[in-house]
Amino acid sequence: MNKCNFKNVSATIDRYISEAKRKNQVEFLYSLFNFFILSSPNFDFDNGRVCKWLNGSAAVSPKIIKFYKAKKENAEHLAYDICNYIFPCLYDKEKMLQELYNLVVCDETISDKKRLTLIRNYNQGEFFVADVLIFSLERKFEKEIPQRKEVKRNE
């Protein structure tokens, strides 16, 4: 079961970015959090830190989380950035939205009430993605432990 955390949400979005419009990890987060960057001139994305955020080995900066939780307008700007900088890069937006929906619905750690709140904007794609992203950011961070591959021994 995949949890609705930042690693899985961002990976789902990234999976649907066309090769022709693919960005590196830092550019991806600049596009995603464009309004935050414009509002925080002293904040910079460090490539190593970004990599840890995206692979689930470190929590996203509390500054980003607080920014999007602070005002409803900031969340609306996130939706705007998703619509203008992320959606045009996707080769199958509807499939990506469906996969995010499934991530929310199948996560047994989300209460029914919260699940309904998250999916209410499904038909308004950018607002749905923004809601899911903010939810994934504000969840208690749990470092993901990479799964070991089993090695078969010749007996």
Side-chain angles (χ1 to χ4, degrees):
M1 170 194 74
N2 282 333
K3 286 185 80 170
C4 188
N5 58 25
F6 183 73
K7 174 194 171 200
N8 293 329
V9 172
S10 60
T12 300
I13 296 167
D14 185 61
R15 215 174 3 264
Y16 289 93
I17 294 177
S18 69
E19 285 303 315
K21 296 182 180 180
R22 179 145 311 277
K23 303 170 183 191
N24 68 41
Q25 292 178 328
V26 172
E27 292 169 332
F28 173 67
L29 288 188
Y30 268 104
S31 296
L32 194 59
F33 300 133
N34 183 62
F35 185 69
F36 168 77
I37 292 299
L38 294 175
S39 304
S40 310
N42 295 329
F43 190 91
D44 195 27
F45 288 124
D46 169 279
N47 194 41
R49 190 168 36 164
V50 165
C51 182
K52 289 179 180 181
W53 295 346
L54 293 172
N55 73 21
S57 64
V60 174
S61 170
K63 290 180 182 179
I64 296 172
I65 299 166
K66 288 177 187 173
F67 179 81
Y68 286 109
K69 285 178 59 178
K71 297 179 188 172
K72 185 177 183 198
E73 296 85 36
N74 292 351
E76 291 170 356
H77 282 287
L78 178 60
Y80 175 87
D81 289 339
I82 290 165
C83 184
N84 289 289
Y85 303 115
I86 300 297
F87 282 179
C89 298
L90 302 176
Y91 64 85
D92 193 341
K93 180 180 91 173
E94 299 308 318
K95 181 79 171 149
M96 184 275 301
L97 291 170
Q98 182 63 53
E99 198 169 319
L100 277 181
Y101 178 90
N102 291 339
L103 186 63
V104 170
V105 170
C106 295
D107 187 338
E108 297 171 356
T109 65
I110 301 174
S111 71
D112 290 341
K113 182 178 179 181
K114 186 63 178 179
R115 188 176 292 116
L116 289 172
T117 301
L118 288 170
I119 63 174
R120 76 174 185 265
N121 285 327
Y122 179 74
N123 291 328
Q124 296 175 291
E126 63 271 19
F127 291 98
F128 169 67
V129 176
D131 289 345
V132 172
L133 263 169
I134 292 169
F135 171 75
S136 74
L137 288 169
E138 63 189 2
R139 291 190 95 177
K140 181 179 181 243
F141 176 74
E142 295 176 12
K143 185 174 181 176
E144 293 205 1
I145 301 167
Q147 293 183 358
R148 293 179 136 189
K149 293 182 181 179
E150 291 187 29
V151 178
K152 293 183 180 180
R153 297 182 184 182
N154 293 331
E155 295 184 25

